[in-house]
Amino acid sequence: MADPARSLWRLTSPVIDTDGDLPARADVVVIGAGLAGLTTAVLLSRSGRRVVVLEARDPGAVATGNTTAKLSLLQGQVMSQLREHAGQEALEAYVAANRAAQEWVRAELSDDPDALDRRDALTYATTPEGDRAVDQEAGALASVGLDVDLLGPGQDAGLPYAVTSALRMRDQWQIHPMRLLARLAAEVRERSGALLSGCRVRGADVEAEDVLVRTTRGTVHARSVVVASGSPVIDRAAFFARLKPSRSLVAAYRVPGEIPRGMYVSVDPETRSLRTARDGAGRELLLVGGSGFTPGRERDTDRLLRELDAWTTAAFPGAERATWWAAQDYRTVTRVPFAGPMPGSDGRIHAATGFNKWGMTNAVAAAMTIAGDIVGEPTPWAEALRSPDLGVRDGVDLVAANASVAANLVTGVVRAVRPEPGEPAEGEGRVTRDGIHPIAEARVGGEMCRVSAVCTHMGGILEWNRQEQSWDCPLHGSRFSPDGDVLEGPAVEDLEPR
Ligand SMILES: Cc1cc2nc3c(=O)[nH]c(=O)nc-3n(C[C@H](O)[C@H](O)[C@H](O)COP(=O)(O)OP(=O)(O)OC[C@H]3O[C@@H](n4cnc5c(N)ncnc54)[C@H](O)[C@@H]3O)c2cc1C
Ligand code: FES
């Protein structure tokens, strides 16, 4: 069986203390203790609000503790794609928001040398498609006055292999995301807030005065609610249908000799993301990210880690993997993150999502936007990023997305109709049938687990993720453990045991 996933950040995280009892009321309830939720909670606490943060698992358990944590304004192809889908005005607002967020995080961590390193960021290509993407990105960056050096074929990008073109932005940052979360969590509690782990929100009702938040540990009343759960778990605007989940692997390697100092992202058809990080003993490792896939749509997930290892040992001979992990993030069609009041909630439920794998700045910018809205001091970029034509362009892309979702659902059901004899081998899972009900069977650690194979969000048929030993939904990215516990995504209910 594959080694279990263990992120370097979570292995080297400070302890994060949490509270025991669910308070009966709060000024603001924040759902999710990732970077978006805890930053929102800190900003509102500093404005005198009593904030309760409810976390289904533990702080940083999902994207923030499993990221690559580059705090950068050079973001692969994001600026050119955002300009293409949302326009120049939105791009300008996006850059202003990201700049403010980057500065905020840098200031928060400025006294912690273990959490913050200044580095050059590079976006590079090794293929003609990549060169075109580099050119387009250079154009978008120039249009918003972001300075970069353009490197051509023979120029040194600091990598042990040849690149055909690259953009270099000086003086960006890489961070230790769990050290940041630990600091934010401590401040929320010091300012009379509360942070509960193992408290899953199941729903919320907007009442005359308050919002009533229903959780696995009771109910809490609040004036406002902020949904910072990745894909929003309270969803009055069908966000799930507008968000595309994308999951990637990250691995940390011991590399003989010099490790490249920069933070790199390739814009070739196959994305690679590189940076350094330190292990618990202070030794420098190379992080390599890539092998992106849509959760629930990749049959052969253990191939992805083998490919990442093969690429790394070819590029860095002698590299040895120390640990690996995986995470997913969500993007909107326009690439503009969403931060604002949720339609249909009377302005009392706010959502933060769609950070497109650049949440170290975007989650913080979203937190600033939402905290600004709640205290009545809106950020300068908020309105320009709430694009009124989002729906028109979304409509076009949604047809394609939903057609492929429907195809997956049908394939899943048809497969489930054929029961398979025997039992799955160790580490394997399969969908079979009990009467008319699709069953997800997996054998993990010698134990057979049998649960419903129907996603509790909206009925998708789950797919076994062999590398991570989880059941993943091809529709909107919910994931479940072999025995049915929700791991992440828009689902709020566990799978039924069978
Ligand atoms: C592989 C990868 C690499 C990345 N690299 C970078 C990078 O280099 N730079 C960068 O800027 N960004 C990067 N990102 C993006 C960044 O990590 C994310 O955008 C960011 O961490 C998202 O933060 P969040 O708070 O929205 O989500 P999360 O950290 O996922 O927090 C959401 C929390 O909500 C909780 N939750 C969910 N449902 C419920 C519920 N019902 N009740 C209560 N709690 C609930 C979850 O358990 C979770 O802890 C990367 C992302 C990935 C996937
Ligand atoms: S995540 Fe929506 S149906 Fe599974």
Side-chain angles (χ1 to χ4, degrees):
M1 199 177 95
D3 294 337
R6 284 169 307 179
S7 113
L8 189 65
W9 316 123
R10 305 227 338 130
L11 289 171
T12 58
S13 174
V15 173
I16 300 182
D17 292 327
T18 55
D19 296 284
D21 294 327
L22 182 67
R25 66 169 26 264
D27 294 326
V28 183
V29 162
V30 173
I31 303 170
L35 187 54
L38 284 172
T39 307
T40 310
V42 161
L43 294 175
L44 289 168
S45 302
R46 287 180 190 171
S47 297
R49 304 303 194 270
R50 176 156 159 61
V51 183
V52 172
V53 183
L54 305 178
E55 167 54 50
R57 294 174 64 185
D58 54 276
V62 179
T64 304
N66 294 289
T67 175
T68 46
K70 298 170 187 169
L71 182 73
S72 175
L73 296 180
L74 189 67
Q75 302 180 349
Q77 303 180 65
V78 167
M79 306 292 173
S80 46
Q81 291 177 340
L82 195 144
R83 183 165 69 158
E84 182 192 337
H85 291 282
Q88 183 68 24
E89 196 192 336
L91 176 62
E92 283 165 17
Y94 178 89
V95 171
N98 274 253
R99 211 190 267 284
Q102 184 190 46
E103 180 47 32
W104 190 87
V105 174
R106 196 201 57 74
E108 289 297 312
L109 294 177
S110 58
D111 61 353
D112 183 353
D114 292 329
L116 183 71
D117 302 310
R118 184 197 299 255
R119 292 295 157 95
D120 290 349
L122 290 99
T123 292
Y124 73 89
T126 61
T127 60
E129 296 97 306
D131 289 336
R132 280 194 290 280
V134 164
D135 270 359
Q136 282 165 5
E137 195 64 11
L141 293 166
S143 79
V144 285
L146 283 171
D147 278 344
V148 284
D149 307 320
L150 182 56
L151 307 184
Q155 285 180 283
D156 184 15
L159 288 167
Y161 47 90
V163 308
T164 47
S165 60
L167 302 173
R168 180 175 55 209
M169 190 179 280
R170 304 275 188 192
D171 297 334
Q172 301 302 295
W173 304 88
Q174 58 185 24
I175 67 170
H176 188 309
M178 291 305 295
R179 293 186 75 86
L180 175 58
L181 281 197
R183 172 183 284 251
L184 299 176
E187 183 175 340
V188 171
R189 297 182 70 238
E190 273 157 30
R191 291 180 181 272
S192 330
L195 164 59
L196 276 85
S197 283
C199 182
R200 185 169 295 282
V201 171
R202 289 196 157 132
D205 305 310
V206 178
E207 299 184 334
E209 293 289 309
D210 284 343
V211 183
L212 175 74
V213 181
R214 289 177 275 113
T215 85
T216 46
R217 289 170 60 181
T219 56
V220 47
H221 285 84
R223 306 293 286 183
S224 310
V225 171
V226 179
V227 188
S229 53
S231 181
V233 290
I234 293 172
D235 191 351
R236 290 160 179 253
F239 276 98
F240 63 82
R242 293 160 189 269
L243 292 170
K244 181 171 173 13
S246 169
R247 199 163 178 82
S248 304
L249 266 62
V250 186
Y253 297 89
R254 287 182 281 270
V255 175
E258 279 285 295
I259 303 183
R261 305 301 296 160
M263 303 185 291
Y264 295 87
V265 183
S266 67
V267 286
D268 295 318
E270 180 181 57
T271 305
R272 293 285 175 242
S273 167
L274 309 180
R275 62 162 282 187
T276 64
R278 287 178 287 278
D279 68 10
R283 283 180 300 243
E284 199 135 89
L285 304 175
L286 174 69
L287 300 195
V288 182
S291 304
F293 65 103
T294 304
R297 309 246 189 125
E298 172 62 55
R299 281 292 184 75
D300 190 9
T301 45
D302 44 2
R303 167 183 67 84
L304 302 172
L305 186 58
R306 286 197 303 274
E307 283 176 5
L308 203 62
D309 284 346
W311 182 88
T312 306
T313 47
F316 299 90
E320 278 177 25
R321 173 156 45 80
T323 188
W324 72 276
W325 62 95
Q328 71 197 40
D329 205 5
Y330 304 83
R331 73 160 168 78
T332 64
V333 176
T334 59
R335 275 63 170 178
V336 178
F338 184 86
M342 205 175 255
S345 73
D346 202 16
R348 282 186 284 163
I349 303 181
H350 304 251
T353 188
F355 305 136
N356 193 16
K357 295 193 178 160
W358 290 101
M360 296 301 104
T361 46
N362 279 303
V364 171
M368 291 168 149
T369 303
I370 291 173
D373 288 347
I374 289 176
V375 303
E377 293 168 13
T379 57
W381 59 76
E383 277 318 306
L385 289 180
R386 289 180 197 141
S387 161
D389 78 345
L390 203 81
V392 179
R393 288 174 186 266
D394 274 1
V396 176
D397 236 50
L398 275 179
V399 173
N402 286 336
S404 96
V405 157
N408 250 279
L409 186 62
V410 172
T411 319
V413 170
V414 168
R415 207 176 46 249
V417 168
R418 275 188 243 117
E420 295 181 48
E423 287 191 345
E426 177 59 34
E428 298 289 342
R430 67 189 189 185
V431 175
T432 177
R433 188 160 57 90
D434 180 2
I436 55 159
H437 203 97
I439 305 294
E441 286 185 343
R443 182 182 291 278
V444 175
E447 204 178 310
M448 263 298 291
C449 304
R450 295 184 94 234
V451 288
S452 164
V454 180
C455 177
T456 54
H457 177 232
M458 289 184 67
I461 301 296
L462 304 172
E463 182 77 43
W464 181 240
N465 175 340
R466 197 185 302 130
Q467 183 63 47
E468 298 184 70
Q469 307 275 287
S470 61
W471 289 107
D472 299 358
C473 182
L475 268 65
H476 318 111
S478 288
R479 298 181 58 247
F480 302 86
S481 69
D483 51 7
D485 291 347
V486 181
L487 297 174
E488 63 187 298
V492 295
E493 300 291 343
D494 296 339
L495 300 173
E496 265 174 55
R498 287 277 161 172

